[in-house]
Amino acid sequence: IRIYADTEESKDPKVYARRMKERKEGMGLTWLKMDLGVEMVSDTPGTVTHPSDLSPWETAQLPHPFLAMEVTDKGIAMLEEYVAAIRDAVGMEIPLAMDHLGHLGVKSIIRLGKAYEKYNLSWMEDVIPWTYTDLLKQISDQSPTPILTGEDIYLKEPFRVLCDRHAVSKIHPDLATAGGILETHKIGDMAEEYGVPMAMHFAGTPISCMANVHCAAATQNF
């Protein structure tokens, strides 16, 4: 289950960490995922370098490498405070993943991956669009934190390219967009041949949820 920092109060690392702990203990969760993007710290001067004349459309729509947005050492240190607080609250035993980092450049992603190494994250998700295979491999080769992608990839063939190149550490197809139950099962079997683990992305209806459960149960690589 993903935890959002959706209020100003929850942008306090201790409050955010407490919310994560409440989800773990109150709901009995065994795996946590958090959103932790640069917008959590960008209001603080000196944390993010970016052009000041970007339109809302450019910020939302342009691929990550073309926005010229980079996080500074100060920004990384502040983001690290969140991860440290969360790990202190939930412990090191439970898997913890991260999504929605922001539209950052490749070098910033690598620096974040190195900063988060000590916290044993399960993955950093969708750091850049999956179509940039060579850039993803560059990030994966240099980041000690695993890299994951796949929620918007259709059919097995693009996943094979990523797995064959070892451009990502893990994949997570979304059954509703990957091509259905059988195709997702095939994706998992294919990835297993390359030693690439498969999680499953889900955001949809109850029927789709149960389809995911059945597919996961039938796929050894889940």
Side-chain angles (χ1 to χ4, degrees), residues 175 181 184-185 198-200 209-222:
L175 181 146
I181 294 174
T184 304
H185 176 75
M198 182 183 79
M200 289 174 66
C209 178
M210 293 311 300
N212 273 270
V213 171
H214 281 271
C215 184
T219 307
Q220 179 169 278
N221 192 16
F222 171 70

Side-chain angles (χ1 to χ4, degrees), residues 44-181:
T44 301
T47 56
V48 180
T49 302
H50 61 89
S52 59
D53 58 348
L54 289 175
S55 69
W57 183 90
E58 289 172 316
T59 302
Q61 301 297 327
L62 284 179
H64 300 47
F66 303 112
L67 280 175
M69 183 181 295
E70 304 291 348
V71 64
T72 66
D73 287 345
K74 180 178 180 179
I76 290 175
M78 289 182 66
L79 289 168
E80 194 177 339
E81 288 181 21
Y82 285 94
V83 188
I86 291 164
R87 270 302 187 202
D88 185 59
V90 304
M92 289 295 293
E93 292 75 24
I94 188 169
L96 179 64
M98 179 184 295
D99 193 7
H100 290 181
L101 284 77
H103 282 46
L104 293 171
V106 167
K107 300 302 183 182
S108 285
I109 296 297
I110 292 170
R111 289 167 59 225
L112 281 172
K114 291 177 178 178
Y116 295 148
E117 179 179 13
K118 64 176 74 74
Y119 305 107
N120 247 30
L121 297 182
S122 297
W123 65 67
M124 296 194 301
E125 182 174 328
D126 292 335
V127 292
I128 61 172
W130 64 268
T131 49
Y132 297 108
T133 307
D134 290 339
L135 293 179
L136 273 175
K137 179 164 177 57
Q138 180 182 338
I139 294 170
S140 291
D141 286 347
Q142 297 184 49
S143 169
T145 300
I147 304 300
L148 168 143
T149 195
E151 69 183 71
D152 55 352
I153 299 178
Y154 178 54
L155 299 181
K156 180 177 65 177
E157 286 70 27
F159 282 102
R160 184 182 297 279
V161 174
L162 293 171
C163 293
D164 180 57
R165 295 286 307 279
H166 286 278
V168 291
S169 306
K170 303 173 182 180
I171 59 170
H172 74 155
D174 189 307
L175 181 146
T177 55
I181 294 174

Side-chain angles (χ1 to χ4, degrees), residues 21-62:
K21 185 177 183 180
E22 289 169 354
R23 301 304 197 280
K24 174 191 173 187
E25 296 178 350
M27 301 173 69
L29 302 179
T30 59
W31 197 302
L32 294 169
K33 184 167 82 169
M34 58 183 171
D35 282 0
L36 192 59
V38 291
E39 73 279 355
M40 300 287 284
V41 301
S42 57
D43 289 342
T44 301
T47 56
V48 180
T49 302
H50 61 89
S52 59
D53 58 348
L54 289 175
S55 69
W57 183 90
E58 289 172 316
T59 302
Q61 301 297 327
L62 284 179

